[in-house]
Amino acid sequence: MNEDRNVSGPILPLYFDYFGAPGKMVETPDGGMTAWRLSRTTGGWEPAVGLIDEILRSTHPEISSLSQDRFVQRTEAVRGFYLSGDGPAFALYALINDIRETAEEDRRRITDYERDVIRGLRRKTYVMFETELQRRGDPAADPSLAAVGQP
């Protein structure tokens, strides 16, 4: 038996989508676990400790696990859809919406190039938003997560 293997709980961090809201479970400094879920009203992180068991045990189709890169993309898709404001991140959300709307108007799917541009823009907005959240003291903010999946 491999003694280094963690058999007592999930391998952390763990990223999830809970009824359309991305979230994450992370290790606490004392070796425990906590969870955070994205707020659609603020774009910040809300405690979600009460959801841990449900997320870990659920087979509900509206609860799913995400890769770290998919978590970043999903977080920014939700922020771009639900939030409005001024500043560079919001200008990039508008650019992403313009790309999607142009494809819809042209009655076509977005191209691979457009998809790559959107993914790159979302990584940038993730870093911008998380850096600001971190500056404001959000304990769950982590701009470093957007580094995964970059070409």
Side-chain angles (χ1 to χ4, degrees):
M1 182 159 143
N2 183 353
E3 293 180 25
D4 293 333
R5 189 168 170 220
N6 178 359
V7 293
S8 62
I11 297 172
L12 301 176
L14 187 142
Y15 306 98
F16 59 88
D17 190 54
Y18 183 84
F19 292 90
K24 57 188 172 179
M25 285 183 220
V26 295
E27 189 171 345
T28 59
D30 64 357
M33 173 184 357
T34 194
W36 303 93
R37 182 172 60 166
L38 185 70
S39 165
R40 291 179 182 153
T41 57
T42 69
W45 299 102
E46 299 175 334
V49 174
L51 301 177
I52 290 175
D53 286 339
E54 181 180 1
I55 291 164
L56 292 176
R57 294 190 174 106
S58 180
T59 58
H60 193 286
E62 294 293 322
I63 302 173
S64 60
S65 64
L66 301 171
S67 69
Q68 184 172 328
D69 185 56
R70 185 71 189 119
F71 165 77
V72 168
Q73 295 296 315
R74 182 76 183 117
T75 298
E76 290 311 291
V78 171
R79 284 176 174 156
F81 184 81
Y82 286 100
L83 303 177
S84 60
D86 297 318
F90 291 99
L92 295 178
Y93 293 143
L95 179 56
I96 291 167
N97 289 337
D98 289 346
I99 292 169
R100 292 190 165 282
E101 287 173 8
T102 298
E104 281 181 29
E105 289 169 5
D106 294 346
R107 295 182 183 180
R108 63 174 175 81
R109 295 179 185 200
I110 62 170
T111 65
D112 289 343
Y113 174 76
E114 290 168 327
R115 187 173 291 109
D116 289 344
V117 168
I118 289 170
R119 291 176 64 76
L121 290 172
R122 284 183 176 156
R123 282 192 292 270
K124 288 178 194 265
T125 58
Y126 185 87
V127 171
M128 292 170 158
F129 214 100
E130 293 288 302
T131 299
E132 179 60 20
L133 289 173
Q134 201 170 51
R135 187 187 71 72
R136 292 180 182 186
D138 188 319
D142 186 355
S144 71
L145 296 180
V148 169
Q150 291 186 4

